[in-house]
Amino acid sequence: MRTDRWQRMTGAPMADDDDGDQEKAVERRALSARVVHEALRSEGASELERPWNALAWSGLAAGISMGLSLIAQGLLRAHLPDTNWRPLVVSAGYSVGFIAVTLGRQQLFTETTLTACLPLLHEQTARIFRRVVQLWVVVLISNLLGGALFAWTATHASAFDPALRNAFSAIARDALHYGTRDAFVRAILGGWIIALMVWLLPSADSSRPFIVLLMTSLLAASGLTHIIAGSLEAFYAIFVGDYALTTYLWRYAAPVLTGNAIGGIVFVAMLNHAQVVAEKA
């Protein structure tokens, strides 16, 4: 068994006397790009075969779970002194919703820009293209509905104390102050970071929460934009009357959605798929 495994990975025969050492080397060897690609492609193919209503419920749960990011950031902002290092600590709170979504195996739009795209790059057929579009539309809409539901609930006085609600409003103002062009450029980088995070997870094992924490807090600390997390903050601002729906749609939602998709598809899905194809050639 171990000899076969070693030969499949290296192409070299394995002597009996160093059987144990070479087996340990196999176990410590990092996953290749081809293995990671295949793991994510297989996951994406499974997602494409799920019924649309299952995707919708999962996406709705993910949108609500992203509210944990707003709660965590709000708590840190409300209770930490106003210093130049506070934004870095508050950025760690941004990761809480992403950790819940990722470990809970819920559908988040920006993550599916990688996993759903790989089956399409592997087999470019009309059927797969339709399934990818359906998955993206269902997950995006359900994510936004879940985020809106959480934001509406959070505006009620009985849900959170005034200090925390004030922190939510301040977080929303910080997230939504960008112009259309800035929001778009920052969204490309934000989509790249989230898709890259997904690419890293198959190799992470027990360190998956740390990878999610590292990548998403980096996104937040850098002031990059994310269509679901940012929209949830925008919905809160809309419900309390600080932000207009039309402003959100044209100045935030449209550029950030486009930028996130470009960052995930072009800079992660297509580039990493290209390297795997080149290895097979």
Side-chain angles (χ1 to χ4, degrees), residues 14-274:
M14 184 172 70
D16 293 337
D17 56 355
D18 59 355
D19 178 88
D21 291 340
Q22 291 181 339
E23 176 64 15
K24 291 179 181 178
V26 171
E27 292 175 353
R28 292 176 178 271
R29 180 174 174 174
L31 295 180
S32 68
R34 291 178 62 179
V35 173
V36 173
H37 177 278
E38 180 56 27
L40 292 174
R41 188 199 66 79
S42 177
E43 180 179 337
S46 298
E47 292 172 353
L48 294 178
E49 296 303 321
R50 294 184 69 185
W52 72 267
N53 54 342
L55 292 171
W57 286 117
S58 181
L60 184 69
I64 296 173
S65 295
M66 288 302 297
L68 295 172
S69 291
L70 183 61
I71 294 174
Q73 289 181 95
L75 287 170
L76 291 170
R77 186 178 183 115
H79 293 286
L80 290 175
D82 188 7
T83 62
N84 57 359
W85 49 262
R86 185 176 72 172
L88 292 177
V89 180
V90 172
S91 297
Y94 185 82
S95 304
V96 177
F98 288 93
I99 292 174
V101 167
T102 302
L103 298 186
R105 307 296 294 172
Q106 297 168 347
Q107 293 287 336
L108 191 65
F109 173 77
T110 44
E111 295 183 0
T112 62
T113 56
L114 173 65
T115 54
C117 195
L118 290 178
L120 180 61
L121 294 173
H122 180 76
E123 186 179 353
Q124 300 171 19
T125 65
R127 176 185 175 275
I128 294 180
F129 177 77
R130 287 193 301 270
R131 294 292 296 179
V132 169
V133 172
Q134 180 189 42
L135 183 146
W136 282 343
V137 170
V138 170
V139 171
L140 175 63
I141 292 175
S142 58
N143 282 170
L144 293 176
L145 287 175
L149 178 60
F150 175 87
W152 176 79
T153 304
T155 60
H156 287 69
S158 57
F160 299 103
D161 62 51
L164 195 52
R165 296 201 306 274
N166 289 337
F168 292 164
S169 294
I171 292 168
R173 287 194 297 271
D174 290 345
L176 301 171
H177 75 277
Y178 301 114
T180 303
R181 180 179 177 181
D182 288 345
F184 171 71
V185 175
R186 290 170 181 270
I188 294 176
L189 297 174
W192 165 64
I193 286 178
I194 295 299
L196 184 59
M197 176 193 79
V198 176
W199 183 266
L200 296 174
L201 290 180
S203 303
D205 294 328
S206 60
S207 61
R208 289 167 69 90
F210 174 75
I211 295 296
V212 178
L213 171 65
L214 176 65
M215 301 298 281
T216 55
S217 60
L218 176 63
L219 187 155
S222 302
L224 304 181
T225 49
H226 183 272
I227 183 58
I228 307 304
S231 291
L232 190 150
E233 295 161 354
F235 292 146
Y236 184 87
I238 291 169
F239 289 138
V240 298
D242 292 341
Y243 208 64
L245 177 61
T246 53
T247 304
Y248 157 72
L249 291 174
W250 298 112
R251 287 191 56 185
Y252 191 87
V256 173
L257 173 61
T258 306
N260 280 171
I262 292 173
I265 294 171
V266 176
F267 293 125
V268 180
M270 295 182 69
L271 288 179
N272 284 292
H273 177 75

